[in-house]
Structures are given as structure tokens and as C-alpha cells.
Amino acid sequence: MKIVLWLLAIPNILTGLWAILAPQNWFDTFPGWAPAVVAAHPPFNAHLATDAGAGLLTLGVISLSAVILGRRDAVLVAGAGALAFAGPHALYHLFNPADALTTSENISGTGSLVLTALGAAAVLIGAVRLEGGQA
């Protein structure tokens, strides 16, 4: 579970900070290589980009907190929070492929989101099954 939590923490903290500090750049270039997946869903909206960044940052912070605290309750909160974010995000992209992306780009991008949601679900299920207070 700690590995998955680290994988939820670091990229989301970095991406969230990027979107908050440079929303236009984040929109135009995320993930930093081709294809630019956020820009494939125009138009740009600075408020929405900053809010998305805040959500990503929050997910990263609660995931990192669960790793640091190492307690079952913290892991439950992180798993539930990550699933609450990643599940609808994956479903949106599953049912709304971007016209600006190729089929393979849509599949690979959505696949990574589905894996994130599955990882979050695994963390949540693992925490539910834990005995005692330590994760």
C-alpha cells in the first residue's frame, strides 16, 4: 500500500503545484510530452485549471500524509479520497474521449486513469482489511 500511496502522492503534488502556479502552461503542455492531454479538452479556463490543481495537490497531500503517519485511519482516508477523485475522472474520460487525440492516445490516457482508480481502490480495500492501527 505504501508504494501505491507514494505513486499517488508525488505525481499529484507536482502536477497540482504546476497547475496552481502556471495554469496556462499546465493546460497547454500537461503531461510535459506529446500528446498534450489537457489541451485536448478546450477551452482554457484559468479558474478551472487552478481548481483542478488544488484537487490534485490535495490528493497528493493526503496520500503523502498516510505514508508518513502509517496509520490505518489515515490510509482509509487517503484511499477513499483518491478513489473519490480517480473514479469519476476515469469514468469521464472513458465515456468522453477527446476529439483532438488519436484512439490510441485516448486509450493510453484513460488506461492510466483506470489504473489510478484501481490503485486507490486497492489501498482502500487493503486498509479496510488491516487489523490494528498501523498500516
Side-chain angles (χ1 to χ4, degrees):
M1 283 190 296
K2 286 186 179 183
I3 292 170
V4 176
L5 287 168
W6 276 111
L7 292 172
L8 290 169
I10 301 306
N12 282 301
I13 289 171
L14 295 175
T15 303
L17 288 172
W18 179 12
I20 291 167
L21 298 173
Q24 182 74 58
N25 180 268
W26 173 77
F27 179 86
D28 290 339
T29 62
F30 179 83
W33 56 82
V37 296
V38 179
H41 295 272
F44 170 73
N45 178 314
H47 178 199
L48 185 58
T50 303
D51 285 356
L56 292 165
L57 179 61
T58 301
L59 173 57
V61 168
I62 64 169
S63 298
L64 182 60
S65 297
V67 172
I68 292 167
L69 294 172
R71 293 193 334 248
R72 180 179 181 263
D73 57 349
V75 174
L76 281 167
V77 169
L83 186 58
F85 177 82
H89 189 190
L91 287 172
Y92 175 85
H93 287 282
L94 187 63
F95 293 107
N96 299 282
D99 294 336
L101 300 177
T102 66
T103 299
S104 64
E105 290 168 342
N106 274 307
I107 289 171
S108 66
T110 301
S112 70
L113 297 174
V114 169
L115 286 174
T116 300
L118 291 174
V123 166
L124 183 59
I125 291 167
V128 166
R129 292 183 176 181
L130 277 176
E131 302 268 337
Q134 294 297 311

